Amino acid sequence: GQQLNQSPQSMFIQEGEDVSMNCTSSSIFNTWLWYKQEPGEGPVLLIALYKAGELTSNGRLTAQFGITRKDSFLNISASIPSDVGIYFCAGRNVLQGAQKLVFGQGTRLTINP
Amino acid sequence: GAGVSQSPRYKVAKRGQDVALRCDPISGHVSLFWYQQALGQGPEFLTYFQNEAQLDKSGLPSDRFFAERPEGSVSTLKIQRTQQEDSAVYLCASSLRRDAYEQYFGPGTRLTVT
């Protein structure tokens, strides 16, 4: 099925470092969402973006909705051990009448203490 | 308040068996979604309900997959004559309104077909 292109696929960083990941699509979306998933759990919503160019923060997390509406970025500042997990971007295009979310393949974040 | 709950959390089925997976959405949430997540992949859409109406079932992979939400609350995803390729985590999500953007996910049911 259709998926977004998310990169990098995995990241190995030191505690305290900043993290950046992004998501691109060939289709326009009018909503971008970022989720975090830990082993054995469902995705947990981190940030939702509704307008092109929008920049939204949630604590140490900052996400942006790209101007072209075909991409989004997530940054994590000063990483800590509990940031470990898989981060997914998800897009939605309600203008096409679709309520469903289309997900990226995920970015697996590993932190070395 | 309580989040989305799913049961069972784990299900092992022999190939050819039928299975039923249950989802209890957040109370009052109008929209309910089912997704399938293969190992190492992002979730993929299966089907969508608004109240009791199934408005989109374009993601169901075959006619062996069937979902219902008869009273607009609890939903059941049924898979008939399970195959090995059905092994995956099945996630349920709900959102407050028809046009609500945020979807809240349950913990999933891990289905293993042997």
Side-chain angles (χ1 to χ4, degrees):
Chain A
Q2 178 189 7
Q3 283 199 327
L4 304 174
N5 295 315
Q6 190 171 345
S7 66
Q9 290 189 2
S10 59
M11 302 184 72
F12 298 86
I13 63 169
Q14 298 293 326
E15 184 177 350
E17 288 185 13
D18 296 344
V19 171
S20 292
M21 60 190 78
N22 68 79
C23 203
T24 60
S25 170
S26 57
S27 304
I28 288 175
F29 290 103
N30 57 8
T31 304
W32 284 93
L33 305 172
W34 284 91
Y35 287 87
K36 178 187 177 187
Q37 188 174 30
E38 297 185 33
E41 300 297 328
V44 174
L45 182 63
L46 299 174
I47 291 180
L49 302 159
Y50 307 111
K51 292 182 181 180
E54 179 181 357
L55 186 71
T56 297
S57 293
N58 178 8
R60 294 179 295 105
L61 277 62
T62 301
Q64 185 162 24
F65 192 144
I67 291 292
T68 66
R69 296 198 286 161
K70 291 184 176 182
D71 57 8
S72 181
F73 305 86
L74 176 69
N75 296 318
I76 305 173
S77 63
S79 59
I80 60 177
S82 62
D83 291 334
V84 166
I86 303 176
Y87 291 80
F88 289 100
C89 61
R92 180 170 175 252
N93 190 340
V94 71
L95 296 177
Q96 294 180 348
Q99 302 290 333
K100 65 181 180 183
L101 295 177
V102 177
F103 281 82
Q105 307 97 317
T107 295
R108 181 181 296 273
L109 179 62
T110 302
I111 298 176
N112 299 316
Chain B
V4 178
S5 61
Q6 293 186 246
S7 61
R9 291 294 311 276
Y10 303 92
K11 177 69 177 178
V12 179
K14 292 187 176 180
R15 191 173 58 177
Q17 284 185 333
D18 298 348
V19 298
L21 312 180
R22 177 187 169 107
C23 172
D24 285 80
I26 295 172
S27 178
H29 276 203
V30 167
S31 298
L32 185 146
F33 302 80
W34 284 97
Y35 292 84
Q36 181 189 60
Q37 187 174 25
L39 190 63
Q41 300 294 318
E44 289 202 16
F45 171 79
L46 293 176
T47 187
Y48 157 63
F49 290 85
Q50 182 184 320
N51 294 308
E52 69 277 5
Q54 188 175 20
L55 298 185
D56 186 349
K57 53 182 180 179
S58 62
L60 296 176
S62 78
D63 59 7
R64 296 186 295 104
F65 286 70
F66 172 77
E68 60 183 6
R69 193 186 185 199
E71 297 179 359
S73 178
V74 171
S75 178
T76 303
L77 176 67
K78 297 179 179 178
I79 309 173
Q80 297 176 327
R81 305 181 303 283
T82 53
Q83 304 294 316
Q84 282 193 318
E85 60 263 28
D86 300 335
S87 296
V89 174
Y90 291 85
L91 294 164
C92 176
S94 69
S95 62
L96 179 59
R97 303 184 308 272
R98 177 187 64 82
D99 58 349
Y101 299 127
E102 298 93 355
Q103 294 182 20
Y104 298 93
F105 283 81
T109 294
R110 180 176 295 278
L111 173 65
T112 303
V113 181
T114 61

